[in-house]
Amino acid sequence: MWRVLYNIGLLIATPIVVGLLLAKPRCRRGFLQRMGWQAHPSDKEQRDRPVVWVHAVSLGEAVAAAPLVKALRERHPELCYIVTTVTETGREAVEQRLAGVAEHRYAPLDFPWAVSGMVNRLRPSLYLFVETELWPNVLWTLNDRRIPTILVNGRLSSRSFDRQNRGAVRSFYRSVIRSITLCLMQADRDRQRIVALGADPSRVHTTGNIKFDQPLPAGEDGEASERRFGLNQSDRLILAGSTHAGEEEMLVAAYRRIVEADPSVVLMLAPRHIERVERVESMIRDAGFTVQRKSRIEQKGRGPRVVILDTRGELARAYREATVAFVGGTLVPVGGHNLLEPAAWGKPVLFGPYTDHCAEVATMLEEAGGGRRVRDVEELVRVCGEWLADPHARERVGGAARRVVSDNQGALQRTLDLIESCFNAIETSHRSLRPS
């Protein structure tokens, strides 16, 4: 019943969905592929290897999935790996981090014809999806064809759980979740929540967060790296990563007060969505600051200024240059982004009150003394001022942040070990497809 009702609702919503996609420039690329109306050129090639399909919706999930896909490829080089994303930032992360390891496709929208078309073309033997990206028709279709499905690095935010754990909605999600072969969850909280929504407890495991196992990006020596970002040795950098509208204004307001006390401080903003760069640049100019785009830096800057990181794939590396790091999506009600990227470099980490998407990591950093939660501009100015004025405090906090990362590694290995249980099914499936 739920399947029928869901697909009727999708059909009714089709004109709205199509209109929204076409209205967003970043969603137009691959539109025909997303709708199931156009195959990828490589799909026409006859495959003689089983396919592992990995779905990572956006940048954060793609970055998290990359070491997992590489490790699987090392263990099973005989398999073909396809990684699908919804967003352009996700696509770019796959193409940058998994070149020669996996191929990229745009994920099909959850229309039955789009999903069936993708499954028919790929004929996957295993489906992995990252961080609870539940697409009902994908999971139902794969379940119908007895293709194992594994939720990797699963999490359920408080908002998502509250929304899904209500009456008829819970019944609907139960019908979806029960089709999943294995649920590998980040924390006990997530495990308890997905079981409450209907998952079979015997199929649910707490493996930890594979983002702790991200390798540090390869970097240049200090002087070359500083030059890349237009910095001088005397500059002290506050790097605000993955920022959103409303948040950047607060950060610039805080910077105005910080730089009055310490003119050596430079602010770098890395907007989560690069297409917003022009608006961010205009706002900074209106605030009276010199502004540079990283893509246009030709020489080192001088004095107080704001640098906009407008190039993709460089944020994790840029955190190395930070004196103090702030992670965005937390001063506005977005839910937060990857707190571990600056922590892995041993940087003191600041974040706002909205951390639902990274709640466990935020708590770990606070309890270990490796990060601080600030509620507003006043607290942002005060804590930044404390850390900028006291190098010993910065070193202590940064060291605690790095230990949070190192002490919680191992999720990738646990995840790989549990995924291995499904590889016998892959071999069996592939044998059945071979001509006799």
Side-chain angles (χ1 to χ4, degrees), residues 53 126-130 139 147-153 180-184 415 418-423:
W53 176 7
L126 178 65
Y127 176 72
L128 309 177
F129 61 111
V130 182
L139 293 171
I147 297 168
T149 58
I150 303 179
L151 167 57
V152 174
N153 217 43
I180 303 173
T181 307
L182 282 176
C183 298
L184 311 183
T415 298
L418 286 163
I419 290 173
E420 282 290 335
S421 66
C422 290
F423 275 93

Side-chain angles (χ1 to χ4, degrees), residues 14-85:
T14 298
I16 299 172
V17 172
V18 171
L20 289 173
L21 285 174
L22 294 177
K24 296 180 179 180
R26 67 176 183 267
C27 295
R28 292 174 193 160
R29 185 169 178 173
F31 173 74
L32 295 178
Q33 196 181 128
R34 299 174 199 268
M35 293 295 294
W37 296 334
Q38 183 182 69
H40 189 279
S42 298
D43 290 340
K44 298 177 181 178
E45 301 172 4
Q46 182 65 36
R47 295 194 181 279
D48 58 359
R49 295 184 294 163
V51 171
V52 175
W53 176 7
V54 182
H55 178 58
V57 60
S58 189
L59 174 63
E61 293 82 3
V63 169
L68 175 64
V69 176
K70 288 179 180 177
L72 287 171
R73 176 68 181 266
E74 289 177 4
R75 290 188 177 199
H76 298 279
E78 73 280 6
L79 305 179
C80 176
Y81 297 88
I82 302 292
V83 182
T84 57
T85 67

